[in-house]
Amino acid sequence: MTALRRQTVFASLDPPPAWPATRGRPRPARLDTELDALPGVGATLKRKLAKLGLETLRDLLEHRPRRYESAVDEVAIAALGGSEEVAIAGEVLNVSSRRRGRLKIVTARISDGTASVAATWFNQPWLEEQLRPGVHVRLRGKPGRYGFDVKSYDVGDGEATADFAPVYPASEEIPPKRLRTLVGHALGHVADYFDPLPAELRERREMPLKRDGEPGELIERYRGALPFSLTPYQEQAVREIDADLARTIPMQRLLQGDVGSGKTVVALYALLRAVEHRRQGALMAPTETLAEQHFLTIEGICAELGVTCALLTSASPKKVRTAALSADVVVGTHALIQEGVELRDLAVAVVDEQHRFGVEQRKALAQGRAPHVLHMTATPIPRTLALTVYGDLAVSEIAKPPASRRPIVTRWIPEERASEAYTRLARLLREGRQAYVVCPLVEASETTLARAAEEEAERLRRAELREFKVGCMHGRLKPDERRDVMARFKARELDVLVATTVIEVGVDVPNATVMIVQEADRFGLAQLHQLRGRVGRGGEQSYCLLVSREKEELTETAVRRLESLVATTDGFELAEVDLDLRGGGQLLGTRQHGVSDLRFAHIRRDRPLLEQARKTAQELGAATGPLVDEINALFAETDSGALA
Ligand code: ADP
Ligand code: MG
């Protein structure tokens, strides 16, 4: 069957002694060309570039942008206002300059026909020359103290205010704008990079070439890889994150969304934005189970995208930990912030269930590296309170879960009719669904709880759930055992997971559509809501069956808790009920140190008042005048806690 041998060269079955060169082949040697070969580079500029370590075309092409400028809206001058970064365009009416201490300020009045504004530049005195009356300018910046504070600008036909422009590390002698132009010239030579990867492998793994690692491309593939499109709320959150990432100050954003609203998808988006810039993203979760869950979810999609992903917990062996540090995306627990853990190049950090971490722990993640931080929480903090508590921390909210969801049907079933709950469970299991059975919450050690869960699993295996495969999940399992159980449940090798509250957060198995909570009256409202959030994650109708003692035997608050869970799946409403039942001070739990210290106000009743208080506080923050020291002293403590 020799005829089937691939033809390699026309009319010959054997490869030629040497491959003829193609015209478009890469010529790596050309990358060593010195920079004065580029238009506009003379001896002086060449010397200045050398000081930045830029001597050849290769150096210039490998000069990594620090970040990318994102798109901003261009607005009419008459419509200026707010504090968002925007672009304006118009003509120079007049220009002047002055000094203020060591600051040199150039001011030009710009008009676009709708209105005029005084645009200010700091410490760029040479601009006075260029900004002649009648010259057309496009300015990017934001309304500031002196009119419009200019961040970047074009005079005449320039394009420096362009959207998505790369921002390169520059020096005093060479402005970023100049570097952008030079890199633009050098980019023509990018095809001269020799890629050592065989074409077949590249194709199979869909790996990018050096020359097409294009910004946004990874994100595009990520969106394409998701089995759904983002909801408008997710899109909004993503836009807000993009805007934050484009700023020079690190992001501090709270992503708030009820259980199952789809925060993880948004978090991964933020992490991949870091990876897209060849940097690192880290996700920190409060428990090993949750970290492992996130890892299972994220790892799959990362692998699809050719992004490396690693799990780092205190249980990881040293070798694994060391390797994890250089992964593109690192998922972990507190282990991420322990002494001696040096992440390669952290750019975006996500803190999941942030209220479960202390202020100090959240700070430690950012210590000395100033990454962009996205704090996530499912604990439904009423928006007013979130704002009051976090002050300037920006808040994104996923107010509604994906539309494909059906509200979870919740039933409250007294103990002696518990068998009905199991009958319903069995019926759904036979239809191919999966289920959770949550064991009673008792004041006991983790070990006692674990044993109780094991015993309950064993009992159910012999009784109600005889015909099904039943696994057990609790806090005393070793990490790899736990991972194994979760992986088997995900893979549908197990029908039922009997568990303690370790599954309260993060566990994401859309095919699991039923949950039975035993002795539900023992749980707190927020906790039950979190637990219930483990079902209702796919398109199928889901059920939550709350089993408790007879109503007559329960306390009044327990009755109200269970009744409100039956009445609504809206986390916001439940949070308000919870507040009523427990009083304002405790909403966030004891772990959120020093945050909710409202002594006189009632969060729900006094909502307008709190809103007002927050506004006033913000105004005071910007105040100048005789009382400024007193005001600063008053807010000093609040700020450090609230913004961490
Ligand atoms: P959260 O972290 O807010 O509790 P997740 O991010 O775990 O929620 O999302 C819950 C489930 O919803 C997951 O199975 C996820 O794949 C799915 N999901 C997320 N976004 C969407 C969407 N836009 N459309 C459909 N399903 C989604
Ligand atoms: Mg989650």
Side-chain angles (χ1 to χ4, degrees), residues 228-231 234 258-265 402 404-405 508 510 537:
F228 43 73
S229 49
L230 299 186
T231 66
Q234 287 170 323
D258 208 346
V259 271
S261 60
K263 295 185 294 295
T264 315
V265 177
S404 54
R405 298 291 167 67
D508 181 32
R537 303 191 142 239

Side-chain angles (χ1 to χ4, degrees), residues 9 16 42 76 127 190 231 266-267 296 346 390 392 399 473 585 600 609 640:
V9 171
L127 273 174
V190 83
T231 66
V266 175
L296 284 178
L346 184 65
Y390 293 102
D392 273 344
M473 183 77 163
F600 300 104
L609 177 69
S640 57

